[in-house]
Amino acid sequence: FPRSSGPRTGSEALEGNPRLSARAANCRAKSVMQQTGFQEVVEKICRQDKRYQQEAYAFLRDSLEATMKRRKKTRKDPGSHVGAEELLDGFRLHAINEFGPMSLMVLNYWGLQCSEDVGNMVFNLVNAEVFGKTDEDTIESFRGVFDFNVVFVAPFRPEGELLNARPAPAVFTGL
């Protein structure tokens, strides 16, 4: 009988079934190994290419995963390949969702100044055989897709007057 003290956690639900429990443990182990493997590859990449910090690569991976999830919700044919424009749009949305008005500052801190920097990281991961690519995928696909200063700052600017605009001088009309 289920416990009456509230909902069961995923691991509690699996405890009674050794086959499912072992499968869940195996999935968790694979996930940890994949993360560890990714981290090791990124450390190696960062030793060779010091332009971008390790956190930027982890964020790129998370952006790709978020893009794939969003694609599954909006398309009937999710496919597995994500092109440069779709990845960059997912990267932009993920940054805004995660960091809000601090997006540009965080990305700059990690070494990212433009959309081509995202492409450079993608191709570093392609060369390390972490990401795949098609014949149509090129670094040029990432050049000039959007301006970081526009896409990461403009959504947070107040509408109307600029913050640093000086007020109009007061006009004395007399009594």
Side-chain angles (χ1 to χ4, degrees):
F1 292 98
R3 296 179 190 155
S4 61
S5 61
R8 296 166 69 179
T9 65
S11 60
E12 288 173 336
L14 298 174
E15 285 174 1
N17 187 330
R19 199 170 104 209
L20 290 177
S21 182
R23 188 176 299 157
N26 187 31
C27 288
R28 281 192 302 273
K30 281 183 182 178
S31 177
V32 169
M33 287 189 321
Q34 288 172 341
Q35 289 174 355
T36 303
F38 179 81
Q39 185 62 32
E40 289 172 358
V41 169
V42 167
E43 288 172 4
K44 182 178 178 184
I45 290 171
C46 289
R47 282 192 299 272
Q48 296 169 350
D49 183 349
K50 298 183 185 326
R51 292 178 291 178
Y52 315 111
Q53 295 198 14
Q54 293 179 28
E55 294 87 353
Y57 286 95
F59 185 79
L60 175 60
R61 180 197 55 206
D62 293 346
S63 297
L64 176 60
E65 290 173 4
T67 300
M68 296 295 286
K69 285 180 185 175
R70 198 169 20 264
R71 177 194 270 186
K72 284 181 183 179
K73 289 180 183 178
T74 60
R75 291 187 183 176
K76 291 180 182 171
D77 177 27
S80 63
H81 181 72
V82 176
E85 278 193 38
E86 186 179 7
L87 177 57
L88 284 168
D89 190 50
F91 183 88
R92 177 188 63 80
L93 290 170
H94 193 57
I96 289 171
N97 288 335
E98 290 292 314
F99 307 119
M102 299 295 292
S103 296
L104 184 63
M105 184 182 303
V106 171
L107 296 173
N108 286 174
Y109 181 77
W110 288 342
L112 300 164
Q113 308 291 319
C114 61
S115 57
E116 187 175 350
D117 287 330
V118 178
N120 289 332
M121 289 190 337
V122 166
F123 276 87
N124 284 345
L125 291 168
V126 166
N127 292 336
E129 299 179 357
V130 174
F131 283 5
K133 76 173 203 74
T134 66
D135 292 337
E136 292 83 35
D137 295 322
T138 63
I139 190 65
E140 289 79 23
S141 304
F142 290 88
R143 284 195 185 122
V145 174
F146 55 69
D147 181 338
F148 271 32
N149 290 313
V150 172
V151 300
F152 295 122
V153 175
F156 302 102
R157 281 209 173 110
E159 292 186 28
E161 292 186 39
L162 296 175
L163 291 177
N164 63 353
R166 294 182 180 199
V171 177
F172 181 70
T173 57
L175 297 174

PDB file of all heavy atoms in Angstrom, residues 37-50 54 57 124 127-128:
ATOM      1  N   GLY A  37      31.923  13.643 -18.803  1.00  0.00           N
ATOM      2  CA  GLY A  37      32.612  13.605 -20.094  1.00  0.00           C
ATOM      3  C   GLY A  37      32.581  14.954 -20.777  1.00  0.00           C
ATOM      4  O   GLY A  37      33.590  15.399 -21.329  1.00  0.00           O
ATOM      5  N   PHE A  38      31.438  15.611 -20.746  1.00  0.00           N
ATOM      6  CA  PHE A  38      31.316  16.935 -21.341  1.00  0.00           C
ATOM      7  C   PHE A  38      32.261  17.905 -20.646  1.00  0.00           C
ATOM      8  O   PHE A  38      32.979  18.657 -21.296  1.00  0.00           O
ATOM      9  CB  PHE A  38      29.863  17.424 -21.243  1.00  0.00           C
ATOM     10  CG  PHE A  38      29.654  18.796 -21.823  1.00  0.00           C
ATOM     11  CD1 PHE A  38      29.498  18.961 -23.187  1.00  0.00           C
ATOM     12  CD2 PHE A  38      29.616  19.916 -21.006  1.00  0.00           C
ATOM     13  CE1 PHE A  38      29.302  20.227 -23.732  1.00  0.00           C
ATOM     14  CE2 PHE A  38      29.427  21.177 -21.534  1.00  0.00           C
ATOM     15  CZ  PHE A  38      29.270  21.334 -22.904  1.00  0.00           C
ATOM     16  N   GLN A  39      32.276  17.865 -19.328  1.00  0.00           N
ATOM     17  CA  GLN A  39      33.129  18.772 -18.555  1.00  0.00           C
ATOM     18  C   GLN A  39      34.601  18.549 -18.899  1.00  0.00           C
ATOM     19  O   GLN A  39      35.357  19.514 -19.057  1.00  0.00           O
ATOM     20  CB  GLN A  39      32.887  18.574 -17.050  1.00  0.00           C
ATOM     21  CG  GLN A  39      33.642  19.555 -16.186  1.00  0.00           C
ATOM     22  CD  GLN A  39      33.228  20.998 -16.430  1.00  0.00           C
ATOM     23  OE1 GLN A  39      32.079  21.291 -16.752  1.00  0.00           O
ATOM     24  NE2 GLN A  39      34.157  21.908 -16.286  1.00  0.00           N
ATOM     25  N   GLU A  40      35.010  17.306 -19.024  1.00  0.00           N
ATOM     26  CA  GLU A  40      36.407  17.009 -19.365  1.00  0.00           C
ATOM     27  C   GLU A  40      36.759  17.545 -20.754  1.00  0.00           C
ATOM     28  O   GLU A  40      37.839  18.110 -20.955  1.00  0.00           O
ATOM     29  CB  GLU A  40      36.654  15.508 -19.294  1.00  0.00           C
ATOM     30  CG  GLU A  40      36.650  14.968 -17.879  1.00  0.00           C
ATOM     31  CD  GLU A  40      36.693  13.446 -17.809  1.00  0.00           C
ATOM     32  OE1 GLU A  40      36.683  12.783 -18.880  1.00  0.00           O
ATOM     33  OE2 GLU A  40      36.711  12.920 -16.688  1.00  0.00           O
ATOM     34  N   VAL A  41      35.846  17.364 -21.703  1.00  0.00           N
ATOM     35  CA  VAL A  41      36.086  17.873 -23.056  1.00  0.00           C
ATOM     36  C   VAL A  41      36.186  19.401 -23.033  1.00  0.00           C
ATOM     37  O   VAL A  41      37.069  19.980 -23.657  1.00  0.00           O
ATOM     38  CB  VAL A  41      34.967  17.409 -24.021  1.00  0.00           C
ATOM     39  CG1 VAL A  41      35.053  18.134 -25.347  1.00  0.00           C
ATOM     40  CG2 VAL A  41      35.028  15.905 -24.222  1.00  0.00           C
ATOM     41  N   VAL A  42      35.290  20.041 -22.291  1.00  0.00           N
ATOM     42  CA  VAL A  42      35.297  21.509 -22.212  1.00  0.00           C
ATOM     43  C   VAL A  42      36.587  21.999 -21.562  1.00  0.00           C
ATOM     44  O   VAL A  42      37.171  22.992 -22.014  1.00  0.00           O
ATOM     45  CB  VAL A  42      34.037  22.017 -21.467  1.00  0.00           C
ATOM     46  CG1 VAL A  42      34.173  23.484 -21.099  1.00  0.00           C
ATOM     47  CG2 VAL A  42      32.798  21.787 -22.310  1.00  0.00           C
ATOM     48  N   GLU A  43      37.041  21.328 -20.523  1.00  0.00           N
ATOM     49  CA  GLU A  43      38.311  21.720 -19.899  1.00  0.00           C
ATOM     50  C   GLU A  43      39.450  21.652 -20.907  1.00  0.00           C
ATOM     51  O   GLU A  43      40.291  22.559 -20.968  1.00  0.00           O
ATOM     52  CB  GLU A  43      38.608  20.828 -18.698  1.00  0.00           C
ATOM     53  CG  GLU A  43      37.710  21.115 -17.507  1.00  0.00           C
ATOM     54  CD  GLU A  43      37.859  20.102 -16.372  1.00  0.00           C
ATOM     55  OE1 GLU A  43      38.728  19.199 -16.460  1.00  0.00           O
ATOM     56  OE2 GLU A  43      37.089  20.217 -15.397  1.00  0.00           O
ATOM     57  N   LYS A  44      39.456  20.612 -21.715  1.00  0.00           N
ATOM     58  CA  LYS A  44      40.497  20.475 -22.747  1.00  0.00           C
ATOM     59  C   LYS A  44      40.380  21.587 -23.791  1.00  0.00           C
ATOM     60  O   LYS A  44      41.381  22.203 -24.169  1.00  0.00           O
ATOM     61  CB  LYS A  44      40.386  19.097 -23.422  1.00  0.00           C
ATOM     62  CG  LYS A  44      41.448  18.855 -24.457  1.00  0.00           C
ATOM     63  CD  LYS A  44      41.327  17.476 -25.065  1.00  0.00           C
ATOM     64  CE  LYS A  44      42.378  17.278 -26.144  1.00  0.00           C
ATOM     65  NZ  LYS A  44      42.233  15.989 -26.815  1.00  0.00           N
ATOM     66  N   ILE A  45      39.155  21.864 -24.225  1.00  0.00           N
ATOM     67  CA  ILE A  45      38.939  22.939 -25.201  1.00  0.00           C
ATOM     68  C   ILE A  45      39.430  24.270 -24.630  1.00  0.00           C
ATOM     69  O   ILE A  45      40.122  25.032 -25.313  1.00  0.00           O
ATOM     70  CB  ILE A  45      37.446  23.042 -25.594  1.00  0.00           C
ATOM     71  CG1 ILE A  45      37.022  21.836 -26.442  1.00  0.00           C
ATOM     72  CG2 ILE A  45      37.168  24.346 -26.340  1.00  0.00           C
ATOM     73  CD1 ILE A  45      35.517  21.749 -26.675  1.00  0.00           C
ATOM     74  N   CYS A  46      39.092  24.532 -23.370  1.00  0.00           N
ATOM     75  CA  CYS A  46      39.457  25.816 -22.747  1.00  0.00           C
ATOM     76  C   CYS A  46      40.968  25.949 -22.545  1.00  0.00           C
ATOM     77  O   CYS A  46      41.480  27.077 -22.513  1.00  0.00           O
ATOM     78  CB  CYS A  46      38.704  26.007 -21.432  1.00  0.00           C
ATOM     79  SG  CYS A  46      36.952  26.328 -21.689  1.00  0.00           S
ATOM     80  N   ARG A  47      41.662  24.850 -22.409  1.00  0.00           N
ATOM     81  CA  ARG A  47      43.135  24.923 -22.336  1.00  0.00           C
ATOM     82  C   ARG A  47      43.723  25.313 -23.693  1.00  0.00           C
ATOM     83  O   ARG A  47      44.727  26.009 -23.763  1.00  0.00           O
ATOM     84  CB  ARG A  47      43.717  23.586 -21.876  1.00  0.00           C
ATOM     85  CG  ARG A  47      43.599  23.335 -20.388  1.00  0.00           C
ATOM     86  CD  ARG A  47      44.439  22.157 -19.917  1.00  0.00           C
ATOM     87  NE  ARG A  47      44.068  20.900 -20.518  1.00  0.00           N
ATOM     88  CZ  ARG A  47      43.129  20.059 -20.051  1.00  0.00           C
ATOM     89  NH1 ARG A  47      42.472  20.370 -18.951  1.00  0.00           N
ATOM     90  NH2 ARG A  47      42.865  18.927 -20.664  1.00  0.00           N
ATOM     91  N   GLN A  48      43.051  24.893 -24.773  1.00  0.00           N
ATOM     92  CA  GLN A  48      43.542  25.181 -26.122  1.00  0.00           C
ATOM     93  C   GLN A  48      43.035  26.518 -26.659  1.00  0.00           C
ATOM     94  O   GLN A  48      43.731  27.191 -27.406  1.00  0.00           O
ATOM     95  CB  GLN A  48      43.130  24.055 -27.078  1.00  0.00           C
ATOM     96  CG  GLN A  48      43.762  22.727 -26.735  1.00  0.00           C
ATOM     97  CD  GLN A  48      43.159  21.572 -27.519  1.00  0.00           C
ATOM     98  OE1 GLN A  48      42.150  21.712 -28.201  1.00  0.00           O
ATOM     99  NE2 GLN A  48      43.780  20.407 -27.406  1.00  0.00           N
ATOM    100  N   ASP A  49      41.801  26.878 -26.309  1.00  0.00           N
ATOM    101  CA  ASP A  49      41.183  28.114 -26.786  1.00  0.00           C
ATOM    102  C   ASP A  49      40.681  28.881 -25.571  1.00  0.00           C
ATOM    103  O   ASP A  49      39.634  28.581 -25.019  1.00  0.00           O
ATOM    104  CB  ASP A  49      40.012  27.780 -27.722  1.00  0.00           C
ATOM    105  CG  ASP A  49      39.350  29.019 -28.317  1.00  0.00           C
ATOM    106  OD1 ASP A  49      39.644  30.154 -27.867  1.00  0.00           O
ATOM    107  OD2 ASP A  49      38.517  28.858 -29.221  1.00  0.00           O
ATOM    108  N   LYS A  50      41.437  29.852 -25.157  1.00  0.00           N
ATOM    109  CA  LYS A  50      41.166  30.572 -23.906  1.00  0.00           C
ATOM    110  C   LYS A  50      40.164  31.727 -24.061  1.00  0.00           C
ATOM    111  O   LYS A  50      39.929  32.467 -23.130  1.00  0.00           O
ATOM    112  CB  LYS A  50      42.471  31.087 -23.311  1.00  0.00           C
ATOM    113  CG  LYS A  50      43.432  29.955 -22.955  1.00  0.00           C
ATOM    114  CD  LYS A  50      44.678  30.476 -22.308  1.00  0.00           C
ATOM    115  CE  LYS A  50      45.727  29.439 -22.023  1.00  0.00           C
ATOM    116  NZ  LYS A  50      45.356  28.122 -21.667  1.00  0.00           N
ATOM    117  N   GLN A  54      34.534  28.086 -19.300  1.00  0.00           N
ATOM    118  CA  GLN A  54      33.838  26.803 -19.251  1.00  0.00           C
ATOM    119  C   GLN A  54      32.335  26.973 -19.056  1.00  0.00           C
ATOM    120  O   GLN A  54      31.536  26.226 -19.627  1.00  0.00           O
ATOM    121  CB  GLN A  54      34.413  25.936 -18.135  1.00  0.00           C
ATOM    122  CG  GLN A  54      35.839  25.501 -18.399  1.00  0.00           C
ATOM    123  CD  GLN A  54      36.393  24.653 -17.271  1.00  0.00           C
ATOM    124  OE1 GLN A  54      35.657  23.976 -16.572  1.00  0.00           O
ATOM    125  NE2 GLN A  54      37.710  24.694 -17.100  1.00  0.00           N
ATOM    126  N   TYR A  57      30.313  27.222 -22.236  1.00  0.00           N
ATOM    127  CA  TYR A  57      30.042  25.957 -22.930  1.00  0.00           C
ATOM    128  C   TYR A  57      28.881  25.211 -22.269  1.00  0.00           C
ATOM    129  O   TYR A  57      28.029  24.647 -22.961  1.00  0.00           O
ATOM    130  CB  TYR A  57      31.293  25.079 -22.963  1.00  0.00           C
ATOM    131  CG  TYR A  57      32.332  25.573 -23.935  1.00  0.00           C
ATOM    132  CD1 TYR A  57      33.370  26.393 -23.513  1.00  0.00           C
ATOM    133  CD2 TYR A  57      32.271  25.228 -25.287  1.00  0.00           C
ATOM    134  CE1 TYR A  57      34.326  26.854 -24.406  1.00  0.00           C
ATOM    135  CE2 TYR A  57      33.229  25.683 -26.186  1.00  0.00           C
ATOM    136  CZ  TYR A  57      34.252  26.503 -25.735  1.00  0.00           C
ATOM    137  OH  TYR A  57      35.189  26.951 -26.625  1.00  0.00           O
ATOM    138  N   ASN A 124      34.026  24.454 -31.843  1.00  0.00           N
ATOM    139  CA  ASN A 124      34.975  23.811 -30.922  1.00  0.00           C
ATOM    140  C   ASN A 124      34.400  22.482 -30.432  1.00  0.00           C
ATOM    141  O   ASN A 124      35.108  21.472 -30.338  1.00  0.00           O
ATOM    142  CB  ASN A 124      35.293  24.712 -29.726  1.00  0.00           C
ATOM    143  CG  ASN A 124      36.248  25.833 -30.062  1.00  0.00           C
ATOM    144  OD1 ASN A 124      36.911  25.830 -31.095  1.00  0.00           O
ATOM    145  ND2 ASN A 124      36.322  26.823 -29.186  1.00  0.00           N
ATOM    146  N   ASN A 127      34.385  19.971 -33.357  1.00  0.00           N
ATOM    147  CA  ASN A 127      35.734  19.412 -33.555  1.00  0.00           C
ATOM    148  C   ASN A 127      36.104  18.415 -32.467  1.00  0.00           C
ATOM    149  O   ASN A 127      36.880  17.488 -32.714  1.00  0.00           O
ATOM    150  CB  ASN A 127      36.773  20.532 -33.632  1.00  0.00           C
ATOM    151  CG  ASN A 127      36.611  21.377 -34.879  1.00  0.00           C
ATOM    152  OD1 ASN A 127      36.069  20.926 -35.885  1.00  0.00           O
ATOM    153  ND2 ASN A 127      37.037  22.617 -34.808  1.00  0.00           N
ATOM    154  N   ALA A 128      35.533  18.577 -31.274  1.00  0.00           N
ATOM    155  CA  ALA A 128      35.772  17.646 -30.170  1.00  0.00           C
ATOM    156  C   ALA A 128      34.787  16.474 -30.223  1.00  0.00           C
ATOM    157  O   ALA A 128      34.795  15.618 -29.338  1.00  0.00           O
ATOM    158  CB  ALA A 128      35.648  18.373 -28.835  1.00  0.00           C
TER     159      ALA A 128
END
